[in-house]
Structures are given as structure tokens and as C-alpha cells.
Amino acid sequence: MSFFKAFFAVDLSQIKKKVIISPIVYPNQFERVIGQKGKHYKSTLSYLVADFKDVTFIKTPMTQAAVYDLVVLLSKTRCKEIVFLGAI
């Protein structure tokens, strides 16, 4: 799935078992909450990814389709737990 990196700016292997998704919280805001710095990536489709030791944080565009697409594609990674921060 080489297109995964094209869409999300990271390789499949970089996705952790726990993924936090939010269309409203930005990676730097999440860093302040957990008190850790992550490595940041930005895709051409406006997904912002922050890679932390035990979790991957992904800020999606503010559309239901963007969140849905990401959740479907996460099934191809080692992700086992998804936490959604936001309101739908």
C-alpha cells in the first residue's frame, strides 16, 4: 500500500497500535496535553500526523469522509485501538 504514505505522509509501519484521530485538535495541542513532543508530518491532503513513543496522533480534515477513509485504511496497519477526539 504505497499510496498510504502519499495520503498520510507516513509509512504503514510507522502507525502505532493505538491511534488518536481528531478533526479539531492539532498535534501541537495534543503535545501540550500529554507533555511529550512528537515527530510531525504533513500530507498533501492536509492530514497532520504526530508520531509519539506509544501512540500515533492524526488530525484529519474536517469532513466525515476524511475520518472514514482514515479508519478504513488503518485496518491495513498494526492499529488495534482508535480513539476519536471531536464531535460528529
Side-chain angles (χ1 to χ4, degrees):
M1 294 213 345
S2 61
F3 65 87
F4 192 89
K5 186 169 184 174
F7 283 113
F8 302 108
V10 295
D11 289 322
L12 288 169
S13 62
Q14 289 177 263
I15 302 296
K16 304 290 192 281
K17 288 184 179 181
K18 185 175 196 175
V19 177
I20 298 174
I21 299 171
S22 180
I24 58 173
V25 177
Y26 285 83
N28 59 347
Q29 295 169 313
F30 184 71
E31 285 178 336
R32 286 192 297 266
V33 170
I34 66 169
Q36 292 181 27
K37 285 284 188 184
K39 186 165 183 179
H40 292 236
Y41 305 89
K42 182 179 180 183
S43 77
T44 57
L45 298 176
S46 299
Y47 289 86
L48 303 175
V49 178
D51 191 25
F52 298 93
K53 180 181 175 186
D54 297 323
V55 66
T56 301
F57 179 88
I58 303 173
K59 194 239 180 252
T60 66
M62 286 197 193
T63 67
Q64 292 175 354
V67 174
Y68 175 81
D69 290 345
L70 176 59
V71 170
V72 168
L73 289 172
L74 284 174
S75 69
K76 305 297 182 189
T77 71
R78 62 182 167 169
C79 175
K80 300 292 180 205
E81 182 179 352
I82 298 172
V83 176
F84 180 80
L85 299 176
I88 290 184

